[in-house]
Amino acid sequence: RANVVRRDDNLQPEGEFQKRPDQTWAPGERANIVKRGDNLQPEGDFSKRPDATWAPGERANIVKRDDNLHPEGDFHKRPDQTWAPGERANIVKRGDNLQPEGEFSKRPEATWAPGERANVIRRDDNLHSEGEFSRRHDEKWAPGERADLVKRGDNLQPEGEFAKRPDATWAPGERANVIKRDDNLHPEGEFAKRPDGTWAPGERANVVKRGDNLQPEGDFAKRPDATWAPGERANVIRRDDNLHPEGEFTKRPDGKWAPGERANIVKRGDNLQPEGDFAKRPDATWAPGERANVIKRDDNLHPEGEFTKRPDGTWAPGERANIVRRDDNLQPEGEFAKRPDGKWAPGERA
C-alpha cells in the first residue's frame, strides 16, 4: 500500500468539545429560515441615468492571430480515369434451413377470358313508394344571379378630415456610405502569381443518348418567323412611405491610416456610493461546528432467513494491467529540479 501522507496545517483545537445532548427519537422538524443581516441601507435620492442622444455603436476591431501553418509539399491529385458503366453488387444468397419436400402443385392451364362480375345483392327493406313522383321542370339555361350584398351595421362614424399623403416626385434613392473597418492586416512577402498558360477549349463529356420507344409521326408545327427586337424593361415602381430624414447626419472624422490599437477599457458608471461607517465583523474565537442531528426514518423492512456468506478463498496478490506508454513529441530540455534529500521515517496514520 502507498504510504499515508499527512499534510501539515495550522488548525489547532481550542476549548472543550460540546457533546451531543441525549434525546429520544422524534420525527424531524424543518429547519427555521435564517435571514442573514447586512448593512445595506438606501439613503438619499437615486441619481438618474443622464439623457444621451442615440448614436450608432462601433464594432470591435478584427484581430487575426498569427500561426505557424505553412502548406508544404505537393497536393495529392485524383488519378485520371475514363468513364465506364458502374458495376452491380454481387448477389448474396443467405443460407437457411428450408428444404422443399414432396411435389409442387402446378397452376392449372386456362385460356384467357373476361372476368365475371359479382352478383348484385339487393337487401330487403320496408320502404314502399307511394303516390306520384314529381318530375323536374324543364327550364332553359340562363346565367345565375348573384346573391344580394348584405352590409352589416356598426357604430363606426368617421369624424374630422383625413390626412392625405403628401405629393412627392420620384427620385433615385441614395446609397449608404461604404464603411471600411480598420484592421491590423499587413501584406508581407511576395504574392504567388498564377502560372502563364495558353488558353484551350475545354473538353465536353460524351453525349449519351438513352434508347426509348418514341417514334415521331405526322408533321411538325414550325415556329413562326419573327424579327428580333430588344425586350422591354418593366417599369420601376417605388412604393411611397412616411419616412423623412430629419436633422444633419454625423460624418466620420477625417483621419490618416495607422495600425490598429486595442480598444480602450470602458468602465461603466453606476449609482453606488458608500456612505457612513462600515460595520466590522465581531471578533469571535474559533470553535468546532455543530453537526446536524441524524434523523432515521422508519420503514417496514425486516431481515428474514439466513444471510449468504462470502465463500472462503485464499488471498493472492492482484494482477496489474500492462503499462502502455503512448508516443508523443515531448522532449525534455534543461535541468530537472531534484527532490530535496530527506531521511525516511514511518508515516503517521490519519
Side-chain angles (χ1 to χ4, degrees), residues 16 19 24 55 75 90 151 157 182 185 214-215 243 256 261 269 339 349:
E16 298 180 357
K19 298 181 180 179
T24 57
F75 290 95
N90 296 330
K151 187 176 181 180
Q157 300 175 358
D182 296 333
L185 303 179
L214 302 179
Q215 300 175 359
L243 302 179
K256 297 181 179 179
E261 299 177 0
R339 181 179 298 173
R349 295 186 178 180

Side-chain angles (χ1 to χ4, degrees), residues 37-40 275-284:
D38 53 40
N39 297 322
L40 301 179
E275 297 180 357
D277 298 332
F278 288 94
K280 298 181 179 179
R281 180 179 296 173
D283 298 332

Side-chain angles (χ1 to χ4, degrees), residues 208-229:
V208 180
K209 186 175 181 181
R210 308 297 180 183
D212 54 37
N213 296 323
L214 302 179
Q215 300 175 359
E217 296 179 358
D219 297 333
F220 288 96
K222 297 182 179 180
R223 180 179 296 173
D225 299 333
T227 58
W228 181 87

Side-chain angles (χ1 to χ4, degrees), residues 154-197:
D154 53 37
N155 296 324
L156 302 178
Q157 300 175 358
E159 297 179 358
E161 297 180 358
F162 290 94
K164 297 181 180 180
R165 181 179 296 172
D167 298 332
T169 57
W170 182 87
E174 298 179 359
R175 293 186 179 181
N177 297 330
V178 179
I179 300 175
K180 186 175 181 180
R181 306 296 180 184
D182 296 333
D183 52 39
N184 297 323
L185 303 179
H186 306 287
E188 298 179 358
E190 298 180 357
F191 290 93
K193 299 181 180 180
R194 180 179 297 172
D196 299 332

Side-chain angles (χ1 to χ4, degrees), residues 265-299:
I265 299 175
V266 180
K267 186 176 181 181
R268 306 297 179 184
D270 53 40
N271 298 325
L272 302 179
Q273 300 175 358
E275 297 180 357
D277 298 332
F278 288 94
K280 298 181 179 179
R281 180 179 296 173
D283 298 332
T285 57
W286 181 86
E290 297 180 0
R291 294 186 179 180
N293 297 331
V294 179
I295 300 175
K296 187 175 181 182
R297 307 296 182 182
D298 293 334
D299 53 37

